[in-house]
Amino acid sequence: MKLKNLTLGITGASGAIFAVELLKMLEADERVGKVNLVASDSALRVMAEEMEIAGRNDLVERILGATSTKIQHHVDANIGANIASGSYPSDGMIVLPCSMGTLAGIANGLADSLIERAADVCLKERRPLVLCVRETPFNRIHLRNMQLASDAGATIFPVMPTLYNKPQSTAEMAVQFVQRVLAHIGLPQPRAYQWQADETV
């Protein structure tokens, strides 16, 4: 079985818990061989405020509570990183959460940061790109940029947690959403909730 090589971009929208849960699942998934992690400066600030995980140094270890041999952490300003090149083999990228600023940069091909450049590479190489956008309400610029990104090949996957599984905490809501994202890219999770209609109603 070929192990997946994935990129995770974390940006400065609210919802750091979703990124944390996604990284934990990627680390635990034996079908994933490599994860290239990029967190923007704004993402680091949000993570400190929402998750009390502060600073760039040892970010992976502080999220997971242990070291990782499969996750490589890149600085967002490092546009010379491996994922900035189409010659680097990759099975796709997830941006979670994806801020409207990052969406705009990706949709308009700016590639000013490593996250934007890695996403641009996915689009030009026709690799999966999942943008988990996080904002409300959407203005016409947001909607236009989602349309542009979708037309270029990205999947727009808004951060919309489910309630039908009766989550008892924000962590449960985040886990269920992340499981749906992973299923979308071909990594279904064994404990993911699946809706079963009650035919007696």
Side-chain angles (χ1 to χ4, degrees):
M1 180 181 66
K2 179 182 178 293
L3 300 181
K4 284 188 177 290
N5 183 334
L6 298 169
T7 300
L8 171 59
I10 308 175
T11 70
S14 180
I17 189 172
F18 295 96
V20 167
E21 294 297 338
L22 179 56
L23 196 65
K24 289 179 179 177
M25 286 190 202
L26 292 174
E27 171 67 16
D29 198 318
E30 295 180 352
R31 297 165 293 179
V32 178
K34 180 70 178 290
V35 178
N36 288 282
L37 170 67
V38 192
S40 69
D41 288 343
S42 296
L44 295 173
R45 176 172 180 174
V46 173
M47 199 171 293
E49 294 178 355
E50 295 184 350
M51 304 294 295
E52 297 183 350
I53 299 173
R56 180 180 289 108
N57 295 333
D58 302 320
L59 179 63
V60 174
E61 289 78 1
R62 285 184 285 114
I63 290 175
L64 300 178
T67 58
S68 172
T69 58
K70 73 164 67 171
I71 301 173
Q72 181 178 2
H73 180 206
H74 303 278
V75 177
D76 195 27
N78 181 15
I79 59 171
N82 51 9
I83 54 176
S85 173
S87 65
Y88 177 74
S90 170
D91 296 303
M93 179 176 183
I94 301 167
V95 183
L96 173 64
C98 181
S99 68
M100 290 298 106
T102 300
L103 169 68
I106 293 169
N108 292 280
L110 300 184
D112 285 338
S113 67
L114 182 55
I115 291 174
E116 292 177 9
R117 172 57 186 168
D120 192 62
V121 167
C122 283
L123 293 177
K124 78 182 185 70
E125 299 294 334
R126 300 292 191 264
R127 296 168 182 165
L129 173 63
V130 180
L131 304 179
C132 300
V133 296
R134 175 68 172 83
E135 185 61 274
T136 189
F138 295 129
N139 64 36
R140 293 185 69 178
I141 296 172
H142 302 154
L143 295 169
R144 182 193 66 195
N145 285 334
M146 281 188 270
Q147 182 71 62
L148 287 172
S150 178
D151 288 346
T155 296
I156 306 300
F157 206 119
V159 180
M160 293 182 180
T162 60
L163 298 176
Y164 51 73
N165 55 313
K166 298 181 175 62
Q168 299 301 302
S169 67
T170 54
E172 284 187 27
M173 295 176 76
V175 165
Q176 171 67 5
F177 176 80
V178 166
Q179 287 171 336
R180 294 188 66 197
V181 172
L182 290 175
H184 185 77
I185 63 168
L187 291 172
Q189 301 297 300
R191 291 184 296 278
Y193 180 88
Q194 294 183 348
W195 170 254
Q196 300 292 333
D198 186 352
E199 296 181 0
T200 63
V201 175

